């Protein structure tokens, strides 16, 4: 027998679970289908001595390397950047650093301000209340009063502490006259009723047994289930059924451990990232821009080596401090847009020995003394670039290759544009300048991080017109009656910062509108 649901959500990651929680209302049946399973972070690999081995294997960010039971292959032979996604309840927030910056107001108005890219069909002020709600749900630590960003509500927790290495870097920024600020982080600096506070142990990327570091499952799942939503983990959607005119999705076919099933649904919401969405929607969404305009945040890493230990392993590896001195456009630099400098703390012992961030440790007699001279003595800055939307960068489908479910293998097609290359070169010089000012005696540069495909944006971008975008500002696909996309695929610009707070705010806004349209509170989203 075919089940029924008012809203079916495909993907239980940052956007999908936030959407489910916000859309929930008495009388609405909401089902979330997630191909991956659940991850018990109370038993995270960070509790084991081989946690760094897990980073390279079972918790590797690249699904082609990890090859977990829910992973699908990604053809990245035509891409300068490798994919970095995680398929599980919680999505890629299972495998992240929890750095949590917001987009700036200017990021929504790039065409008006810089004559580049396009303006969003919504503004920072329209997203602000949803940003605030998401901060509360995720449990954000940070410091109010940043002069480089709009005034905003106080964070739920104070900022995470700096370590000896980042204190040095802060002093260097001060001497250079550059803006810096403690990172907003989805990591608790003080305990809540459900979650402990951060103990600065460091291995955030393999999960947090204290639940201090948020992930979407920790922050949203229980709250959404308390509102009545149903999660189907280990359930992969394999086909969409629709009416003869193609405008209305009537149901979903799925596969799980018990076989196959169907759900008839009133609304279908996709939150499976640009790669996952393309596997199912390429034949459904009839729009020339669908899949095109991929943006990925080209990233360089500049590492400084100090003469003495600065204990740079102490604390969350990616959520210490940022410099947004260069985020806004300046025509004098020779490129449009800007970049963020984000501090990365030092690596663990195994990754240090293997030459993480590019500082190679030779094998042989010099290995141990070189390791000793580097462990705890490095600090890195990422140069995170605001990528321009270029239509030749895209997600396509392989003509013949299929995954274990019979779905087409997605192709990641991306080359770094001229604007980003100029930005990277300028940013590497600034990061080098800052680390030298902090006292680094040696600088190593990774000019382009290949394993940086963790921010997949723009392949179903929103617009006020179907001539310029795939969805409207609520994620409703133009030309479809009941199909929406609510993840970072809908982004119009990439900005120079991590997308998770913004994609979750977008999901909360769209869910609120869909809930109100179903309960008769406000107008429909279409």
């Amino acid at each position: 027998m075919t089940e029924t649901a008012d809203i079916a959500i495909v993907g239980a990651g940052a956007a999908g679970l936030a959407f489910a929680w916000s859309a929930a209302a008495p009388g609405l049946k909401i089902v979330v289908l997630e191909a991956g399973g659940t991850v018990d972070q109370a038993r995270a690999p960070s509790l084991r001595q081989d946690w760094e081995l897990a980073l390279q294997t079972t918790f590797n960010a690249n699904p082609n390397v990890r090859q977990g039971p829910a992973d699908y292959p990604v053809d990245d032979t035509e891409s300068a950047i490798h994919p970095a996604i995680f398929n599980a309840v919680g999505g890629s927030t299972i495998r992240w650093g929890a750095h949590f910056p917001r987009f700036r107001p200017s990021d929504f108005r790039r065409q008006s301000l810089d004559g580049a890219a396009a303006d969003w069909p919504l503004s920072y002020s329209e997203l602000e209340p949803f940003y605030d709600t998401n901060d509360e749900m995720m449990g954000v630590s940070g410091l109010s009063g940043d002069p480089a960003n709009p005034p905003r509500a106080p964070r739920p927790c104070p900022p995470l502490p700096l370590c000896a290495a980042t204190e040095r870097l802060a002093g260097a920024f001060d001497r250079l006259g550059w803006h810096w600020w403690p990172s907003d982080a989805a990591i608790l600096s003080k305990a809540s009723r459900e979650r402990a506070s951060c103990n600065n142990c460091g291995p955030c990327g393999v999960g947090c047994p204290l639940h201090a570091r948020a992930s979407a499952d920790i922050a949203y799942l229980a709250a959404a289930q308390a509102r009545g939503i149903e999660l189907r983990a280990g359930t992969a959607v394999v086909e969409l059924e629709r009416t003869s005119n193609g405008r209305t999705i009537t149901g979903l076919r799925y596969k799980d451990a018990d076989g196959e099933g169907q759900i008839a649904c009133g609304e279908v919401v996709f939150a499976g990232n640009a790669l996952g969405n393309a596997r199912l929607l390429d034949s459904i969404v009839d729009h020339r821009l669908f899949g095109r305009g991929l943006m990925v945040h080209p990233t360089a890493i500049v590492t400084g080596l100090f003469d003495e230990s600065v204990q740079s392993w102490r604390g969350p590896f990616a959520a210490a401090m940022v410099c947004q001195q260069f985020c806004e456009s300046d025509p004098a630099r020779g490129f449009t847009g800007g970049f963020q400098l984000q501090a990365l703390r030092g690596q663990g012992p195994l990754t240090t020995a293997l030459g993480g961030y590019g500082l190679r440790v030779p094998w042989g007699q010099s290995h141990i003394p070189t390791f000793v001279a580097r462990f705890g003595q490095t600090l890195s800055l990422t140069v995170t670039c605001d990528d321009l939307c270029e239509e030749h960068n895209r997600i396509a489908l392989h003509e013949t290759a299929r995954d274990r479910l019979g779905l087409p293998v997605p192709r990641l097609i991306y080359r770094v544009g001229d604007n980003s290359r100029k930005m990277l070169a300028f940013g590497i010089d600034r990061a080098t300048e800052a680390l030298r000012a902090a006292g680094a005696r040696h600088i190593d540069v990774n000019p382009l991080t290949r394993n940086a495909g963790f921010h997949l944006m723009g392949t179903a971008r929103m617009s006020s017109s179907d001539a310029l975008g795939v969805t409207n500002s609520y994620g409703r696909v133009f030309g479809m009656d009941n199909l929406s996309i609510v993840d970072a695929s809908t982004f119009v610009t990439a900005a120079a910062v991590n997308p998770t707070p913004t994609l979750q705010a977008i999901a909360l806004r769209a869910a609120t509108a869909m809930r109100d349209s179903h309960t008769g509170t406000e107008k429909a989203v279409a």
Side-chain angles (χ1 to χ4, degrees), residues 146-375:
D146 182 357
N149 284 274
R152 52 185 277 198
R155 316 311 191 267
C157 296
L160 296 165
L162 299 181
C163 62
T166 47
E167 285 177 352
R168 281 191 177 210
L169 188 58
F173 286 143
D174 286 342
R175 289 188 291 276
L176 292 168
W178 296 355
H179 168 275
W180 70 272
W181 205 253
S183 292
D184 279 350
I187 301 172
L188 295 185
S189 62
K190 63 178 184 180
S192 70
R193 186 172 61 183
E194 298 86 9
R195 296 162 54 190
S197 61
C198 177
N199 65 0
N200 295 312
C201 66
C204 306
V206 288
C208 179
L210 300 176
H211 291 182
R213 188 214 68 175
S215 53
D217 54 325
I218 288 171
Y220 275 104
L221 179 56
Q225 289 174 322
R227 291 183 171 188
I229 74 102
E230 181 181 349
L231 171 68
R232 303 278 186 88
T235 303
V237 176
V238 294
E239 187 179 357
L240 277 66
E241 299 171 340
R242 51 183 172 159
T243 55
S244 58
N245 65 8
R247 290 183 56 93
T248 305
I249 306 299
T250 58
L252 308 174
R253 277 202 322 109
Y254 64 83
K255 293 182 179 180
D256 61 15
D258 297 322
E260 297 189 13
Q262 289 179 302
I263 297 179
C265 40
E267 296 276 1
V268 181
V269 177
F270 268 75
N273 80 55
L275 290 164
N277 294 345
R279 298 161 73 224
L280 288 160
L281 294 181
D282 188 72
S283 63
I284 301 292
V285 178
D286 184 19
H287 197 292
R288 70 173 187 86
L289 293 177
F290 182 70
R292 294 188 172 271
L294 176 68
M295 301 173 286
V296 301
H297 283 153
T299 300
I301 299 180
V302 182
T303 300
L305 177 63
F306 296 85
D307 281 327
E308 65 282 335
S309 175
V310 288
Q311 296 185 332
S312 56
W313 41 264
R314 186 183 294 275
F317 74 93
M321 62 186 298
V322 294
C323 171
Q324 294 192 341
Q325 179 74 22
F326 307 101
C327 275
E328 300 291 352
S329 282
D330 181 350
R333 299 177 193 145
F335 52 83
T336 185
F339 59 91
Q340 175 176 271
L341 298 176
Q342 176 185 347
L344 288 184
R345 290 188 165 104
Q347 304 277 282
L350 175 62
T351 312
T352 300
L354 294 175
Y357 295 160
L359 279 171
R360 299 300 172 191
V361 178
W363 297 108
Q365 289 185 343
S366 62
H367 179 79
I368 291 177
T370 304
F371 171 84
V372 171
R374 290 184 178 174
F375 181 63

Side-chain angles (χ1 to χ4, degrees), residues 85-99:
I85 59 175
F86 206 90
N87 298 306
V89 177
S92 295
T93 62
I94 295 293
R95 175 65 172 83
W96 71 326
H99 181 56

Side-chain angles (χ1 to χ4, degrees), residues 105-127:
S106 58
D107 293 322
F108 298 91
R109 303 182 61 235
R110 288 293 307 283
Q111 175 62 38
S112 296
L113 295 175
D114 302 329
D119 289 347
W120 291 56
L122 52 77
S123 65
Y124 176 90
S125 61
E126 289 176 83
L127 281 184

Side-chain angles (χ1 to χ4, degrees), residues 505-524:
I506 287 171
L508 291 173
R509 177 178 178 270
T512 300
M514 186 176 289
R515 179 198 67 209
D516 291 347
S517 71
H518 276 76
T519 58
T521 307
E522 292 185 6
K523 64 182 181 180

